[in-house]
Amino acid sequence: MSDILQQLAEVLEQRKGADPDSSYVAGLYGKGLDAILKKIGEEATETVMAAKDGDPQQIVYETADLWFHTLVMLAQQGLGPDQVLDELARRFGLSGLEEKANRKQ
């Protein structure tokens, strides 16, 4: 399941050095962090709206957009999906209340 995330992460890394006019992702990198974060905000809003509408196909589509742009942000910050997956694995089996309490320590 995480293979596609790793493949995307590799492509996103390759786009970092590309001409901003050569790809959408290279263009986002060229515009900087604020543009990437704005796009994540837009996609998060569209995901919420899709869920409110209850259309499963649109929910999946918008969630894919949100995840994609989040991967762009991670790559821009020198991170990748493995760090996020490791954190999810660390939390697995903890109750949400316990995990939240552990953050304050």
Side-chain angles (χ1 to χ4, degrees):
M1 190 175 349
S2 65
D3 288 346
I4 190 64
L5 293 178
Q6 191 56 46
Q7 290 172 12
L8 278 169
E10 290 169 11
V11 170
L12 294 176
E13 276 301 312
Q14 293 168 4
R15 297 293 192 271
K16 281 184 175 181
D19 178 352
D21 292 330
S22 68
S23 82
Y24 172 75
V25 171
L28 270 179
Y29 286 141
K31 292 176 185 173
L33 181 60
D34 286 346
I36 295 167
L37 297 177
K38 181 179 177 188
K39 193 63 183 167
I40 291 172
E42 291 171 7
E43 297 303 342
T45 299
E46 291 172 4
T47 302
V48 169
M49 292 169 38
K52 292 284 279 180
D53 290 343
D55 179 347
Q57 185 175 1
Q58 198 63 25
I59 293 168
V60 169
Y61 181 87
E62 295 300 345
T63 300
D65 281 352
L66 177 58
W67 286 14
F68 177 82
H69 288 89
T70 300
L71 288 169
V72 172
M73 179 270 302
L74 287 170
Q76 193 271 346
Q77 295 290 304
L79 300 166
D82 285 344
Q83 286 95 340
V84 177
L85 293 172
D86 288 347
E87 177 60 17
L88 289 171
R90 184 192 68 77
R91 294 180 188 186
F92 192 76
L94 290 176
S95 79
L97 296 175
E98 182 182 358
E99 195 281 325
K100 194 169 185 177
N102 287 340
R103 288 185 204 175
K104 296 178 182 177
Q105 296 175 358

